[in-house]
Amino acid sequence: MNTDWIAVDWGTSSLRAWAIDAQGATLDTAQSTKGMGTLAPSEFEAALLELIEPWIKGSSANAPMQIIACGMVGARQGWIEALYAKVPSLPISATLTKAPTQDPRLDVQIVPGLSQSTPADVMRGEETQIAGFQAQFPKFDGIICLPGTHTKWAHVSAGEVVSFQSFMTGEMFALLSKHSVLKHSLRDGTWDDTAFDDALADTLSRPEKLASKLFTLRAEDLLKGLDGGAAKARLSGLLIGAELAAAKPYWLGQMVALIGDDGLTDLYASALKTQGIIAQRTNPTDMTLAGLKSARASILE
Amino acid sequence: MNTDWIAVDWGTSSLRAWAIDAQGATLDTAQSTKGMGTLAPSEFEAALLELIEPWIKGSSANAPMQIIACGMVGARQGWIEALYAKVPSLPISATLTKAPTQDPRLDVQIVPGLSQSTPADVMRGEETQIAGFQAQFPKFDGIICLPGTHTKWAHVSAGEVVSFQSFMTGEMFALLSKHSVLKHSLRDGTWDDTAFDDALADTLSRPEKLASKLFTLRAEDLLKGLDGGAAKARLSGLLIGAELAAAKPYWLGQMVALIGDDGLTDLYASALKTQGIIAQRTNPTDMTLAGLKSARASILE
């Protein structure tokens, strides 16, 4: 095997690596559940080695393997903090941060995140997906939305991220459905599209309704019984509707691209469609890998 | 001691009892942390007996001690379900629900909650405080707000609860500050009134901002450091502002009374004051006891 360099996506809950050859083709992939959230800083190197050991047999202190990593591995609680680049900025600026290693065969470079002063905001990992998207669609000018635990909306123009905004919608859904009084009513059940659409329309047109509508999910269940799937769809619609109301300056009248995992991203696509926006969809893993290749290319320049 | 009857406030996390004499004076009080949330239905009687045993020495199967209880003890997961009365309704209708007991000296009667069909809503415990408030202020016509884990706003007119609405603001604050990514930034610190007021004004005038402002607490802390007390005050202001925006049909141009514990109720009073409303304040425990006395009186009628 002729691994030229290794691409790594290291988030809070998972670690994924690709062995890349000199032509940019993927020779092999590997992944583990050793996300940075489960590791102490001293454990990062071992967790990575465990995964990539077969790919670095030919490497040495004189010819170390270059590893380009993105994600929470570069957070303050990660392997080493890769400082943020301030927007407006290229999604990946040329300055990567070298992580300290014991094994001299490793040359680990971490992609910095992006920050914004006003309103204060940060991203880490999504900048790589944005860079990957730009590599595939270099002429794109518009909005990239990355649904997730903390959904990001980014305004991209002339190759730069101009501004962005984060929403805690995904985390709110998880907290409310797992830890709040609503958990008793958000049982498993069949997803209800109409319940989602109605709830979405409610908070998208009148976002103040979010605060008043949440408890009705519990009350309606107590009083008349409510299907768990319908309840989940309504909660999701209420939260995404409130997000879309707040993010309107981003998407209104714009080209929108979505980068994210299928389930959640389907909901955003469907929500945007109710506003007349047909969003372009791309695969998030493909975008991450393409972004890591861009980062590698920027180092070589 | 000459206990005539016993008043009981039994919530999710605590149990409180008062021994009352024939003139309605409090002879003794007792409390424990055996809230209904910590007990199986079979354990209710023992938990109550543990507290009131000294007061029922003179009671017998022929002359049982009457115990009037309110709160979550009457929920479906409680001792026995005390069905809801539908609004519009007196806060406490005459029909209490008798709980099954092993000890023949006990005659336990549980106050029903209130329900509303549209929008679906329920309360359990607050109806007793509203009844207590009405006993003290029989001519009050207006809005009673009861801040708590699930804050209630109730429209009270001509002795009846006409309509009400619940907000999960208290629970959201707890979830976000204990379980979300914001927990890292909501450290202990000195409360910041200005931060509260500014955040309140933000979401009260533009409630859609709630969704977009939450993550800024984390981002601002990462980028420039943010005092934990200021962060908490801001989160609280954002959430209460969004609630007040949604509850505006309740409080706008109305007399408002607040029933709740000091800390949280201070915040609601201060928030309402920014809208020109000077809310009347009462002690929640006093209102509960007064309400239980009203319930007892309604049984005797």
Side-chain angles (χ1 to χ4, degrees):
Chain A
M1 218 171 73
N2 216 342
T3 302
D4 187 42
W5 64 284
I6 296 172
V8 170
D9 177 19
W10 208 334
T12 305
S13 54
S14 70
L15 164 59
R16 184 195 300 255
W18 295 261
I20 312 289
D21 74 8
Q23 282 69 48
T26 299
L27 297 171
D28 198 4
T29 65
Q31 54 186 330
S32 85
T33 54
K34 293 196 172 162
M36 62 77 68
T38 68
L39 302 172
S42 61
E43 300 170 316
F44 279 94
E45 185 170 344
L48 179 63
L49 272 172
E50 199 178 292
L51 218 57
I52 66 168
E53 189 76 62
W55 306 339
I56 60 169
K57 300 227 180 288
S59 303
S60 66
N62 289 332
M65 177 64 71
Q66 195 166 61
I67 295 153
I68 312 288
C70 70
M72 293 306 284
V73 64
R76 204 168 295 172
Q77 302 83 10
W79 193 339
I80 187 172
E81 185 171 14
L83 291 175
Y84 300 103
K86 273 190 195 170
V87 295
S89 163
L90 294 172
I92 300 181
S93 58
T95 318
L96 275 59
T97 299
K98 190 171 162 61
T101 62
Q102 304 282 322
D103 189 322
R105 295 173 300 166
L106 303 179
D107 171 20
V108 179
Q109 302 280 342
I110 302 182
V111 175
L114 290 180
S115 72
Q116 178 175 275
S117 302
T118 313
D121 218 326
V122 291
M123 69 165 71
R124 197 177 280 290
E126 294 89 350
E127 76 294 326
T128 302
Q129 294 181 310
I130 294 172
F133 184 87
Q134 286 187 331
Q136 288 216 350
F137 307 98
K139 290 188 179 166
F140 180 84
D141 204 299
I143 302 304
I144 299 180
C145 171
L146 305 106
T149 304
H150 300 148
T151 296
K152 313 282 180 187
W153 293 81
H155 178 203
V156 170
S157 182
E160 290 194 325
V161 176
V162 180
S163 66
F164 66 100
Q165 190 153 35
S166 303
F167 292 85
M168 292 177 62
T169 305
E171 187 164 21
M172 293 269 277
F173 183 87
L175 289 175
L176 288 168
S177 53
K178 282 180 211 154
H179 298 292
S180 86
V181 70
L182 300 184
K183 72 181 172 196
H184 305 296
S185 300
L186 296 166
R187 296 173 296 269
D188 286 333
T190 311
W191 183 265
D192 182 334
D193 281 328
T194 308
F196 175 81
D197 290 345
D198 290 350
L200 178 88
D202 258 357
T203 50
L204 214 166
S205 60
R206 295 184 50 198
E208 76 277 13
K209 282 198 173 180
L210 176 62
S212 59
K213 288 274 178 174
L214 291 177
F215 192 75
T216 63
L217 294 172
R218 179 66 185 142
E220 224 175 284
D221 186 34
L222 282 170
L223 296 177
K224 353 182 190 179
L226 180 62
D227 176 74
K232 278 188 186 173
R234 259 170 64 182
L235 176 60
S236 182
L238 290 173
L239 291 168
I240 293 178
E243 177 180 330
L244 255 60
K248 203 178 247 185
Y250 273 86
W251 54 260
L252 193 68
Q254 290 276 2
M255 294 285 292
V256 178
L258 285 164
I259 306 176
D261 290 324
D262 275 353
L264 182 59
T265 305
D266 291 344
L267 297 179
Y268 278 79
S270 146
L272 285 166
K273 202 174 166 190
T274 69
Q275 305 303 302
I277 290 177
I278 308 300
Q280 181 179 352
R281 299 279 295 269
T282 53
N283 178 289
T285 311
D286 291 351
M287 293 306 108
T288 301
L289 181 55
L292 287 165
K293 287 179 182 173
S294 296
R296 157 88 172 168
S298 75
I299 287 184
L300 296 184
E301 268 165 18
Chain B
M1 217 171 71
N2 215 343
T3 302
D4 187 40
W5 64 285
I6 295 172
V8 170
D9 176 19
W10 208 333
T12 304
S13 56
S14 70
L15 164 59
R16 185 197 300 254
W18 295 262
I20 312 289
D21 74 10
Q23 282 71 49
T26 300
L27 298 169
D28 199 5
T29 65
Q31 54 187 331
S32 86
T33 53
K34 293 195 172 163
M36 62 76 70
T38 68
L39 302 172
S42 61
E43 300 170 316
F44 279 95
E45 186 170 342
L48 179 62
L49 272 171
E50 197 178 294
L51 217 58
I52 66 167
E53 189 78 62
W55 305 339
I56 60 168
K57 299 228 179 289
S59 303
S60 66
N62 289 331
M65 177 64 72
Q66 195 166 61
I67 295 152
I68 312 288
C70 71
M72 293 307 284
V73 65
R76 205 168 293 173
Q77 302 83 7
W79 194 337
I80 186 171
E81 185 172 15
L83 291 175
Y84 300 102
K86 273 191 195 168
V87 295
S89 163
L90 294 172
I92 300 182
S93 59
T95 318
L96 275 59
T97 299
K98 191 171 162 63
T101 62
Q102 304 281 322
D103 190 324
R105 296 173 301 165
L106 302 180
D107 172 20
V108 179
Q109 302 281 342
I110 302 181
V111 175
L114 289 180
S115 72
Q116 178 175 275
S117 303
T118 314
D121 218 326
V122 292
M123 68 165 73
R124 199 177 277 290
E126 294 90 351
E127 75 294 327
T128 303
Q129 295 181 309
I130 293 173
F133 185 88
Q134 286 187 329
Q136 286 214 352
F137 307 99
K139 292 189 179 165
F140 181 84
D141 205 299
I143 302 303
I144 300 181
C145 171
L146 304 106
T149 304
H150 300 147
T151 296
K152 312 282 180 186
W153 293 80
H155 177 203
V156 170
S157 183
E160 290 194 327
V161 176
V162 179
S163 67
F164 65 98
Q165 190 153 36
S166 303
F167 292 85
M168 292 177 61
T169 306
E171 188 164 21
M172 293 268 277
F173 182 86
L175 288 175
L176 288 168
S177 53
K178 282 179 211 153
H179 298 291
S180 85
V181 69
L182 301 184
K183 72 181 174 198
H184 306 295
S185 300
L186 296 166
R187 297 173 296 269
D188 286 334
T190 311
W191 183 265
D192 182 334
D193 281 327
T194 307
F196 175 81
D197 290 344
D198 290 350
L200 178 88
D202 258 356
T203 49
L204 215 165
S205 61
R206 294 186 50 198
E208 77 276 13
K209 283 197 172 182
L210 177 62
S212 58
K213 287 274 178 173
L214 290 177
F215 191 75
T216 63
L217 294 173
R218 180 64 185 144
E220 222 174 287
D221 186 33
L222 281 170
L223 296 177
K224 352 181 192 181
L226 179 62
D227 177 75
K232 279 188 184 173
R234 259 170 64 183
L235 176 60
S236 181
L238 290 173
L239 290 168
I240 294 179
E243 176 179 330
L244 255 60
K248 203 179 247 185
Y250 274 87
W251 55 260
L252 192 69
Q254 290 277 2
M255 294 282 294
V256 177
L258 285 165
I259 305 177
D261 290 325
D262 276 352
L264 183 59
T265 306
D266 291 345
L267 297 179
Y268 278 80
S270 146
L272 285 167
K273 202 173 166 190
T274 68
Q275 305 302 303
I277 290 176
I278 307 300
Q280 181 180 349
R281 299 280 295 268
T282 54
N283 178 289
T285 310
D286 291 351
M287 293 305 108
T288 301
L289 182 55
L292 288 165
K293 287 178 182 175
S294 296
R296 156 87 173 168
S298 74
I299 287 184
L300 296 183
E301 266 165 19

